[in-house]
Amino acid sequence: MAGLIKREDVEAVRERARIEEIVSAHVTLKPAGVGSLKGLCPFHDERTPSFHVRPGVGRWHCFGCGEGGDVISFVQKIDGMGFTDAVEYLADRAGVQLRYEDSRTGAAADRGPREEPGRRQRLIEAHKVAAEFYSEQLFGPGAQAGRAFLAERSFDRADAERFGVGYAPTGWDALLRHLQGRGFTQAELVASGLVSQGQRGIYDRFRGRLVWPIRDVTGAVIGFGARRLYDDDQGPKYLNTPETSLYKKSQVLYGIDLAKKSIAQGKRVVIVEGYTDVMAAHLSGVDSAVATCGTAFGGDHAKVVRRLLGDTTAGGGLQLASGASLGGEVIFTFDGDAAGQKAAVRAFGEDQRFHAQTFVAVEPGGMDPCELRMARGPEAVRALVDGRQPLFEFVIRTTLDTFDLDTVEGRVGALRAAAPLVAGIRDRSMQLGYSRSLARWIGIDTEDVRREVARAASTPSRGARHDQRHDQRHDQRRDGHHGPEAAPATPVLAAPDPRDPVARLERQALIVVLQYPQHVPASFDELGEDAFGVPAWRAVHDAVRAAGGVAAGREVGGGRWVETVTEQAPETVAPLVTELAVAPVPEDRESVIGAYVADVVRALVDLGLTRRIADAKSRLQRLDQEKDPEAYQQAFTDLLAIEQQRRTLRERAGS
């Protein structure tokens, strides 16, 4: 099985994927000086642009919320991708052929079940063509049943076009012939899952059905969901694309491409049960709604949601100090019937995977969002979501409803059934709170409930033990990628007070060293480890020196230079490197940028010489000329030499 992407291929992706093009798909960028662009940050609400991109070094940084990184990290954050998926996505766009290393031997290996970038792009293109074909068919003469289905649910043509809804003709090979006419081979079509293979050859998988294109977070169509329309169709009510290299049902969420921005900004995701529910929710103003595709919500879905919510905590387990919603809200909507309640219990098992509060929204009459919109309008859908209740409470009270609490036997049975649910709440404060609530709901003493919860906690179920072992393995496993996929949040070394003139000069010097190494005087590399007085900037300078100094920067240049410095920096310092590499430069005239850089470095060297002169004078004052004339004379000579260096530096600056 393929392991790590080869480091040189990751570097090639960073160099060839133009960061300004990737970012511009999400942010309107405007010039902000020489080699710099800026716009409104996509990761937090703001009115004044503080989000900067510097294509020359391949970096972005928001001076409002502090987020920053390279082109790969931007795709990871904006699209909720893991590191490997982001690299593969960018490789497809940039035309970089990725190679993989065997995780055990380190040797180059085949991709195993993964498609090569060129192959993957062909399959994505086939799905794009298929989506366009289905969309066109919906408004043809043979799709009356499909249009009627939508109209009955209060969806018009504009709604269908917004969500890309289409129609698969009833014939056996309409799509097959269309795709072959566009140059796709039989092998590609079979691999895509768009056709099925039988004893008599291949044929369209979807026939006589209403179809919804299922997209990934980037907006690429990777599969379809199809709804039966005709009584003589012997297939299932809903039919989805089979498992392919593109489509993994355990990882796919319908509507994620439309909802990702709202989820990231609002820190709320609403999980509904079907395609029409997603449509109804979005059309009602609940634009953070998504749905699973033919499967229950599971662990892989949770990972996708966590990334979009901004929760990249390692491991699934969480132990919050309070009930505060640190990672936003996850809201499940379920039908009010037994199946919906069962789904809520399953979701309860996934709750611990979120660094967020989890809620459930159930319409008392059992209507789903689509039915609710039809019956009472968009306002009712919004009210359903806003009237959510904590998932813990819903599941516990649903469990209690199955017992007769007017009898001793019923109360005892209810306690024994509900105690493991309370014991499964990892937030200690919330567990205690629900213990008190459970005592009140059942009508028994709180201490009895606490003892039963403690007993349940000491004898975890097989599934709970498995989850605990999984969490431990996750915590112990080192990151296997050439970049973070779900690493714990690392505190950033605090930046100094910008009002401090020394700190300001040192910061500006590091900015030009990272952004314009080709203009930095060679004398910069002669500065010692004590050249920077501010601890934060000294740490960045240490990383610059470890990367080879500006001599190395002039050699490699651009984004590779910044990447090299970042690799040499500790985790707490790396974000500062990105910030400095993107920070605006006061001088915006290309013709004089070289002189500006030289002046900044010269001022820094002058500052260092001034600091050394002060130290030399202090040492001279501490010496006794009569007791140790040689040491005094040497110190005096050293002082004169440093003063001469500063004098020469200033004379050159004035010439």
Side-chain angles (χ1 to χ4, degrees):
M1 180 177 174
L4 306 181
I5 302 172
K6 291 180 74 68
R7 180 175 292 275
E8 53 264 39
D9 292 347
V10 174
E11 293 173 357
V13 168
R14 285 194 179 101
E15 292 174 1
R16 293 175 58 177
R18 298 179 63 85
I19 190 169
E20 66 272 29
E21 293 181 359
I22 301 300
V23 174
S24 292
H26 306 275
V27 180
T28 300
L29 296 174
K30 296 181 179 180
V34 177
S36 181
L37 303 167
K38 70 177 180 180
L40 295 174
C41 180
F43 305 122
H44 81 288
D45 292 328
E46 63 176 6
R47 295 183 179 181
T48 302
S50 58
F51 181 89
H52 288 250
V53 177
R54 191 164 285 273
V57 297
R59 294 269 156 171
W60 61 275
H61 182 82
C62 176
F63 292 89
C65 66
E67 294 286 351
D70 60 10
V71 66
I72 298 173
S73 67
F74 181 82
V75 171
Q76 282 185 265
K77 187 165 182 64
I78 198 74
D79 287 327
M81 288 186 174
F83 179 81
T84 299
D85 290 337
V87 172
E88 290 178 339
Y89 166 70
L90 291 170
D92 283 346
R93 287 183 58 110
V96 175
Q97 180 74 39
L98 295 179
R99 296 166 296 166
Y100 294 75
E101 295 176 348
D102 188 288
S103 58
R104 293 162 298 180
T105 66
D110 294 332
R111 292 175 58 98
R114 296 180 182 272
E115 296 288 345
E116 294 185 4
R119 171 80 158 180
R120 173 183 168 86
Q121 196 58 41
R122 286 287 292 171
L123 299 186
I124 288 177
E125 182 63 25
H127 279 82
K128 178 182 177 182
V129 174
E132 294 170 348
F133 173 79
Y134 288 143
S135 182
E136 293 172 358
Q137 297 301 310
L138 180 61
F139 303 106
Q144 178 59 39
R147 295 193 295 272
F149 177 94
L150 293 173
E152 290 168 0
R153 288 156 180 79
S154 301
F155 299 125
D156 57 23
R157 177 167 183 158
D159 300 332
E161 291 175 343
R162 173 178 173 179
F163 293 91
V165 185
Y167 175 77
T170 54
W172 287 86
D173 61 355
L175 178 64
L176 171 62
R177 287 185 287 105
H178 181 74
L179 290 173
Q180 286 180 326
R182 296 288 294 270
F184 293 98
T185 66
Q186 179 173 317
E188 289 172 334
L189 298 182
V190 171
S192 72
L194 293 169
V195 301
S196 299
Q197 191 160 19
Q199 295 181 347
R200 297 184 179 181
I202 60 175
Y203 54 90
D204 291 356
R205 178 175 178 82
F206 306 116
R207 304 178 307 280
R209 288 176 175 254
L210 198 65
V211 293
W212 285 263
I214 300 170
R215 300 181 173 92
D216 64 13
V217 290
T218 71
V221 180
I222 56 174
F224 293 91
R227 209 278 190 186
R228 184 178 61 203
L229 294 174
Y230 304 107
D231 294 337
D232 59 355
D233 186 339
Q234 300 302 307
K237 183 177 180 180
Y238 281 95
L239 181 65
N240 291 79
T241 292
E243 293 281 306
T244 69
S245 60
L246 297 181
Y247 183 88
K248 308 292 183 185
K249 66 180 180 181
S250 64
Q251 303 171 8
V252 171
L253 289 170
Y254 175 70
I256 197 71
D257 57 309
L258 301 174
K260 63 182 181 181
K261 184 175 181 180
S262 176
I263 294 172
Q265 291 186 341
K267 300 300 181 184
R268 170 192 278 191
V269 59
V270 179
I271 300 168
V272 299
E273 293 198 307
Y275 306 121
T276 56
D277 290 333
V278 171
M279 294 176 67
H282 280 256
L283 293 171
S284 299
V286 182
D287 50 5
S288 59
V290 298
T292 59
C293 302
T295 185
F297 189 90
D300 287 337
H301 296 123
K303 291 178 183 177
V304 175
V305 171
R306 282 174 49 213
R307 288 184 185 132
L308 288 174
L309 286 172
D311 167 24
T312 56
T313 307
L318 302 169
Q319 291 187 349
L320 305 184
S322 68
S325 178
L326 298 182
E329 295 183 356
V330 180
I331 303 172
F332 292 91
T333 65
F334 300 113
D335 295 339
D337 57 15
Q341 294 179 2
K342 184 177 180 180
V345 174
R346 285 198 305 268
F348 179 90
E350 298 298 336
D351 174 86
Q352 311 294 337
R353 299 179 185 272
F354 298 110
H355 199 167
Q357 283 194 349
T358 314
F359 298 86
V360 62
V362 176
E363 201 282 320
M367 289 189 286
D368 58 34
C370 182
E371 295 167 336
L372 192 58
R373 173 175 174 265
M374 292 167 55
R376 302 178 194 164
E379 299 81 6
V381 178
R382 295 194 296 271
L384 171 68
V385 174
D386 291 338
R388 66 208 180 281
Q389 69 179 112
L391 179 61
F392 290 157
E393 177 181 341
F394 177 81
V395 172
I396 293 171
R397 301 200 73 159
T398 298
T399 301
L400 298 183
D401 287 343
T402 62
F403 295 89
D404 182 0
L405 300 182
D406 291 331
T407 67
V408 173
E409 293 81 4
R411 290 192 293 272
V412 172
L415 175 59
R416 289 175 177 173
L421 298 175
V422 177
I425 301 174
R426 299 188 184 184
D427 180 351
R428 178 66 175 168
S429 298
M430 292 185 68
Q431 186 186 97
L432 293 174
Y434 274 104
S435 293
R436 291 191 292 268
S437 296
L438 180 59
R440 185 174 68 254
W441 294 332
I442 297 178
I444 59 178
D445 187 73
T446 301
E447 287 304 315
D448 291 339
V449 172
R450 289 180 177 174
R451 282 194 294 270
E452 187 65 24
V453 169
R455 188 191 66 80
S458 66
T459 56
S461 66
R462 179 182 177 186
R465 290 195 298 269
H466 171 78
D467 287 344
Q468 290 168 1
R469 291 195 300 269
H470 176 272
D471 293 341
Q472 291 166 2
R473 289 196 300 270
H474 194 292
D475 292 340
Q476 293 166 2
R477 185 173 63 242
R478 292 180 63 85
D479 183 14
H481 303 292
H482 295 305
E485 182 157 344
T490 302
V492 179
L493 189 64
D497 187 344
R499 294 171 296 183
D500 180 348
V502 173
R504 193 163 58 243
L505 174 59
E506 291 184 357
R507 178 178 185 272
Q508 203 60 39
L510 291 171
I511 287 174
V512 299
V513 164
L514 291 169
Q515 296 183 18
Y516 298 103
Q518 69 274 24
H519 295 309
V520 176
S523 59
F524 181 86
D525 284 345
E526 299 173 5
L527 297 175
E529 60 182 13
D530 59 346
F532 286 76
V534 177
W537 305 144
R538 188 185 309 128
V540 176
H541 181 227
D542 288 343
V544 170
R545 296 172 68 219
V550 291
R554 283 192 290 269
E555 183 177 344
V556 298
R560 188 70 198 103
W561 163 234
V562 174
E563 184 64 28
T564 303
V565 176
T566 303
E567 291 173 353
Q568 296 297 329
E571 289 187 43
T572 55
V573 178
L576 289 178
V577 175
T578 292
E579 175 185 335
L580 296 170
V582 178
V585 177
E587 180 53 67
D588 61 358
R589 293 172 295 171
E590 188 73 45
S591 60
V592 297
I593 196 69
Y596 170 78
V597 170
D599 286 345
V600 170
V601 174
R602 190 178 295 113
L604 177 72
V605 174
D606 187 295
L607 176 65
L609 291 172
T610 299
R611 188 182 295 127
R612 289 175 59 194
I613 289 172
D615 292 342
K617 287 182 176 179
S618 175
R619 181 170 181 270
L620 190 64
Q621 290 174 355
R622 294 193 303 271
L623 291 172
D624 189 323
Q625 185 175 8
E626 294 182 358
K627 291 182 179 180
D628 194 350
E630 291 185 7
Y632 184 89
Q633 184 59 43
Q634 183 59 52
F636 184 70
T637 301
D638 292 343
L639 172 60
L640 293 178
I642 300 171
E643 288 180 333
Q644 181 58 45
Q645 285 182 349
R646 187 175 66 175
R647 192 159 43 249
T648 301
L649 180 71
R650 292 179 175 180
E651 288 173 354
R652 289 176 179 173
S655 61

